[in-house]
Structures are given as C-alpha cells and as structure tokens.
Amino acid sequence: MFRVLLTGDTVGRAGRRVLEERLFDLRQQREIDFVVTNVENAAGGFSITARIANDLFAAGVDVMTSGNHIFDKKEALELIKDEPRLLRPINYVPTLPGSGVWTGEVNGSPVAVINVQGRVFMPPCDDPFRAIDATLAALDPKYKIILVDIHAETTAEKQAMGRYLDGRVTAVVGTHTHVMTADEQILPSGTAYITDLGMTGPHDSVIGMKTSIVLERFLTGLNARFEVSEGDPQLNGLLIEVDEETGRARRVQRIQQTM
C-alpha cells in the first residue's frame, strides 16, 4: 500500500516550524511514502523564497503546490523556473514560468501531482475543468497515482471538480480557505476527496493572520496591513492509502497535529 500525506496551506513561520518539527516523525510513524504541501503563503503569508523552499524540502516535503499568491514575491518567478518540485496552477497564462504538473517515480511507483486553480471569486484564470482534461490526456498512462490540488474559494467548485475527476485520479483535495472541512471520503469510483485540507500554521488567528488586525479591518473598513500570527501552530492534512496497481484510494484519514 502506498501512503500519501497532503497538507494544507503552509502559513508563515509557524507553519514552517510545525512541518520542520513534526513531519519527519509523522512520516516514520505512519510509513508515509510521499508528501505534498501547499506553500503559497509560506513566506510571511505571501508566496515563497528559495531558502524557505529548501528548508521545507529538507523537512520532508516532496512536492509543493501553490495558488493565487505564488508570484507575490519576485523571487518566486526565478525560483519556479529551476525547481520542478514547486508548482503553480496549470490554468495560469502559459507564458508564466513554471509548471502545474510534477511527475516522478516514488518507491517504484509512478506518481503525478497536478495543481489547478478555481475561478469563482478568484483572480482570472483559464477554465480549470478543460485544463485538467488536457493535462490528463497528455499524461503517460503509466501514472496511476495522480494527486490534484484544486486551489479554490467555493465548496461547490471544489466538490464539482472532485465528482468530475472521480475514477480518473487518485485524489482531489481543496486548498485556499485555511479551514479544514470534515467531509473526507472516497468517492464512488475510488477517488479520495476533501473540500479543504485546512491550514498548517498558526490557529490562534483568523485564517493565519493576527486577530486584532483582521477585526480592525472588519469593524472600521480600513485596510490595515495583515500580519501573520504565531500562536497555536498546527499541521492539517489528509493521509491517503492507495492501491499502487490501480491508483484507487483505499482509506482516508484527516491529520491534525499540534506543536
């Protein structure tokens, strides 16, 4: 059985710390073969840097997905050109650097990771459903284990993607909202699904940001500058057991670990 851990949006220093301090032991204890982490908020809540990427790879992350904040730091534009393990959504403008797909072999099993972004209440991008169809059509049939991160705002769009891809991929997991949902399941044709993986970061916060600042924005309407919180670091994610021969999910379990 092949075991995959997908973790939700890594937010700021607190999110990085919990991965650096908990991921190695978690991989050993649960015999995890492969880890995918969304990192679009890893550097102070916005984007990622080369140093942070290297630290997270060293901590045990295998592939990094992202979303609408990935290019908020100019450094990420250069980093993503040379680092195939760092993805940006497949349905971005094709002239942008980077790729939305990673493929490789893990413990003898071919694995593919696909990153796609939703369109509802999100910055403009191409149709994620057509983009996924084109990506899967171009993928070598040997890739049975296929993991999809849909970075999207609405539950409906993420659920629709899960149903659309049921039986065609191993897992469809949602990211972006930073709040873990309780709907982990295996869909009828064998695809693991959860609407949102949650947040690997400071849970004494409002979606990772300091509560006082978020409240000020809501109460006054003034655009006070967001600051990442530090309190109550937690790791949120989904552990999936996969049949390597078929690529079908056999078991799913939500993972929530504190420091």
Side-chain angles (χ1 to χ4, degrees):
M1 199 67 69
F2 190 90
R3 291 179 175 84
V4 177
L5 176 66
L6 301 108
T7 70
D9 300 47
T10 301
V11 178
R13 181 167 55 184
R16 305 194 307 266
R17 279 179 53 224
V18 72
L19 284 172
E20 290 167 1
E21 295 187 22
R22 288 285 181 265
L23 186 55
F24 179 80
D25 288 343
L26 188 59
R27 289 192 72 144
Q28 298 297 310
Q29 294 162 5
R30 300 299 185 96
E31 299 181 324
I32 295 167
D33 297 288
F34 191 66
V35 176
V36 180
T37 298
N38 189 293
V39 297
E40 71 143 7
N41 305 119
F46 302 94
S47 191
I48 191 168
T49 65
R51 180 186 62 80
I52 290 171
N54 289 334
D55 288 346
L56 294 180
F57 286 134
V61 173
D62 294 300
V63 171
M64 300 176 181
T65 55
S66 65
N68 55 296
H69 288 300
I70 184 58
F71 294 129
D72 283 3
K73 288 188 176 2
K74 289 183 179 180
E75 182 177 344
L77 287 163
E78 294 300 319
L79 172 62
I80 207 166
K81 290 179 184 178
D82 302 319
E83 181 47 82
R85 295 172 295 173
L86 173 62
L87 303 181
R88 49 87 167 161
I90 55 172
N91 52 331
Y92 275 15
V93 175
T95 54
L96 286 173
S99 172
V101 184
W102 176 90
T103 56
E105 191 169 292
V106 181
N107 298 338
S109 297
V111 178
V113 181
I114 301 172
N115 192 182
V116 67
Q117 185 167 298
R119 291 198 296 184
V120 181
F121 305 133
M122 295 290 281
C125 58
D126 290 342
D127 183 345
F129 294 89
R130 289 190 175 89
I132 281 281
D133 282 341
T135 300
L136 292 177
L139 201 61
D140 190 310
K142 73 178 182 180
Y143 292 102
K144 303 297 183 185
I145 301 174
I146 305 172
L147 310 168
V148 177
D149 174 349
I150 175 168
H151 196 76
E153 184 73 35
T154 69
T155 55
E157 189 172 23
K158 290 189 262 194
Q159 286 184 339
M161 184 63 77
R163 297 288 176 174
Y164 187 64
L165 295 179
D166 185 22
R168 301 166 63 191
V169 303
T170 302
V172 176
V173 297
T175 57
H176 181 63
T177 64
H178 295 200
V179 178
M180 177 176 270
T181 54
D183 61 339
E184 74 279 8
Q185 62 190 288
I186 298 176
L187 297 172
S189 295
T191 294
Y193 175 81
I194 190 169
T195 298
D196 203 281
L197 291 171
M199 176 179 68
T200 295
H203 282 247
D204 182 7
S205 67
V206 176
I207 62 169
M209 300 298 138
K210 288 184 177 179
T211 300
S212 59
I213 295 174
V214 176
L215 287 176
E216 180 182 353
R217 289 171 66 108
F218 277 118
L219 292 171
T220 68
L222 298 176
N223 287 325
R225 186 177 181 273
F226 283 131
E227 293 181 29
V228 179
S229 182
E230 293 288 338
D232 189 22
Q234 293 184 27
L235 182 154
N236 285 181
L238 188 70
L239 180 63
I240 307 171
E241 293 185 1
V242 183
D243 183 328
E244 305 101 309
E245 298 299 318
T246 65
R248 298 293 177 263
R250 296 300 182 209
R251 184 170 180 263
V252 294
Q253 180 186 3
R254 272 183 290 149
I255 300 291
Q256 293 177 281
Q257 289 210 342
T258 59
M259 292 279 284

